[in-house]
Amino acid sequence: MDDVDRKILAELQLDGRLTITELAERVQLSVSPTHRRLRELERNGAIQSYRAVVNPEALGLNFEALVFVTMGEEDRATLLAFEEAVARIPNVRLAQRLFGDPDYLLRIVTTDLAAYARLQDETLSSLPGMQRLTSTMVMKQVVDDRPLPS
Amino acid sequence: MDDVDRKILAELQLDGRLTITELAERVQLSVSPTHRRLRELERNGAIQSYRAVVNPEALGLNFEALVFVTMGEEDRATLLAFEEAVARIPNVRLAQRLFGDPDYLLRIVTTDLAAYARLQDETLSSLPGMQRLTSTMVMKQVVDDRPLPS
DNA sequence: ACTGAAAGCGATGCAGA
DNA sequence: TCTGCATCGCTTTCAGT
């Protein structure tokens, strides 16, 4: 992991479909070693995947909420069951376990407020071990899933 | 935006470097119309960009925190100044304005706790209009920036 | 570990239905 | 709007330094 590798990661976070030819020009190296470095970054897990960034509104997903979860039981089995249940809900884009209170943050997208209300009532509020939910509507994306800093 | 377009978006969220040839097979169409549809999805903004998903640890970014921000002043000019200042901090991966309290959520990555402490003291705690910060360390990614649901 | 070249394969554009 | 084809460029591998 030298400066060239870091530059490759930076460029591919900005444009994940860069051709190796173009990438080679940007890192000032010929095609072969650029190709070799890229494959190695993929192999060793520095590059986890490639993704198209899709506009949620194009899919009619116009509503986003953050949910703060406080757990009632904190034993290992309950947390595992909670986390597996959360991972099975497709509307959950991000779920993080936190230190302190709340125990979890969930980032959730739905088509609209009504769909969210249904999701909370039918699914979220009966997650295993969950004691209390506090949810907040997102008004605006100020910084929207930016690349990692160098 | 028909079912084929939705399928294209779903596939490219799973693998943003799919070749058009491979994509065409997955959506059961020949290469030309698949190509045409893809370019149209890019042109109309349904596909906003392509990204390599990089493992933060590969770049030594081992620390993540969530910061809840309560504003002291809420006039338009102050909020604008706050949002612009936040957007200029490279460690901020996500910033959202929320309804209710807190006013903003920030998702922040740094190399370690010490670097975060420095960032909070030197930068975050003097953001324009900011009244109060509450920060929480992230213990674990349960669901890590998943594709949008279909 | 990089350079340069050769071969295979995909992207892109076009004719025809 | 689709299929099928032709051209061009990129990816991938390999010999040489």
Side-chain angles (χ1 to χ4, degrees):
Chain A
M1 176 61 57
D2 58 9
D3 284 348
V4 175
D5 284 338
R6 270 184 284 274
K7 175 85 169 152
I8 289 174
L9 295 179
E11 293 294 341
L12 287 174
Q13 283 186 89
L14 296 174
D15 182 356
R17 291 201 88 149
L18 273 184
T19 62
I20 296 177
T21 308
E22 173 66 20
L23 189 59
E25 284 171 23
R26 300 203 189 177
V27 302
Q28 300 279 72
L29 217 61
S30 62
V31 169
S32 302
T34 307
H35 182 262
R36 204 181 50 70
R37 282 167 180 268
L38 175 57
R39 293 294 168 254
E40 179 59 17
L41 290 168
E42 292 170 348
R43 200 203 55 75
N44 71 23
I47 296 175
Q48 296 177 326
S49 64
Y50 297 91
R51 290 264 185 87
V53 178
V54 171
N55 182 356
E57 297 185 3
L59 291 168
L61 296 165
N62 300 303
F63 184 90
E64 180 166 342
L66 298 180
V67 179
F68 305 106
V69 180
T70 299
M71 300 296 283
E73 301 169 55
E74 305 242 21
D75 59 291
R76 243 171 72 85
T78 305
L79 294 187
L80 201 70
F82 172 84
E83 293 181 6
E84 283 177 359
V86 163
R88 264 184 261 111
I89 306 169
N91 303 73
V92 175
R93 290 196 66 191
L94 181 71
Q96 298 182 314
R97 185 173 176 203
L98 309 176
F99 286 98
D101 190 59
D103 295 295
Y104 291 94
L105 169 76
L106 314 181
R107 183 184 178 188
I108 294 188
V109 290
T110 64
T111 52
D112 52 30
L113 175 60
Y116 176 76
R118 227 175 307 121
L119 182 70
Q120 176 163 333
D121 289 347
E122 294 174 9
T123 308
L124 301 180
S125 53
S126 56
L127 287 168
M130 195 273 314
Q131 181 174 82
R132 207 178 114 71
L133 294 180
T134 305
S135 60
T136 318
M137 264 180 71
V138 175
M139 191 188 300
K140 178 187 174 184
Q141 307 291 336
V142 178
V143 170
D144 199 357
D145 278 316
R146 233 177 1 194
L148 296 167
S150 329
Chain B
M1 176 62 57
D2 58 9
D3 284 347
V4 175
D5 285 337
R6 270 184 285 273
K7 175 84 169 152
I8 289 174
L9 295 179
E11 292 294 340
L12 287 174
Q13 284 186 89
L14 295 175
D15 182 357
R17 291 201 89 149
L18 272 183
T19 63
I20 295 177
T21 307
E22 174 66 21
L23 190 59
E25 285 171 22
R26 300 202 188 177
V27 303
Q28 299 279 70
L29 217 63
S30 63
V31 169
S32 301
T34 307
H35 182 261
R36 203 181 49 72
R37 281 167 179 268
L38 175 57
R39 293 294 168 256
E40 178 59 17
L41 290 168
E42 290 170 349
R43 200 203 54 75
N44 71 24
I47 296 175
Q48 296 177 326
S49 64
Y50 298 91
R51 290 264 184 89
V53 178
V54 171
N55 181 356
E57 298 185 3
L59 291 168
L61 297 165
N62 300 303
F63 184 89
E64 181 166 343
L66 298 180
V67 179
F68 306 106
V69 180
T70 300
M71 300 297 282
E73 301 168 54
E74 306 241 21
D75 59 292
R76 243 171 71 85
T78 304
L79 294 187
L80 202 69
F82 173 83
E83 294 182 7
E84 283 177 0
V86 163
R88 264 185 260 110
I89 307 170
N91 303 74
V92 174
R93 291 195 65 190
L94 180 71
Q96 298 181 315
R97 186 174 176 201
L98 309 176
F99 285 98
D101 190 58
D103 295 297
Y104 291 95
L105 169 76
L106 314 181
R107 183 185 179 188
I108 292 188
V109 290
T110 64
T111 52
D112 53 30
L113 175 60
Y116 176 75
R118 225 175 308 121
L119 180 70
Q120 176 163 332
D121 288 349
E122 293 173 10
T123 308
L124 301 180
S125 53
S126 57
L127 287 168
M130 195 272 314
Q131 181 175 82
R132 205 179 115 72
L133 294 181
T134 306
S135 59
T136 318
M137 265 179 72
V138 175
M139 190 187 302
K140 178 186 174 184
Q141 308 291 335
V142 178
V143 170
D144 199 357
D145 278 316
R146 234 178 0 195
L148 297 167
S150 330

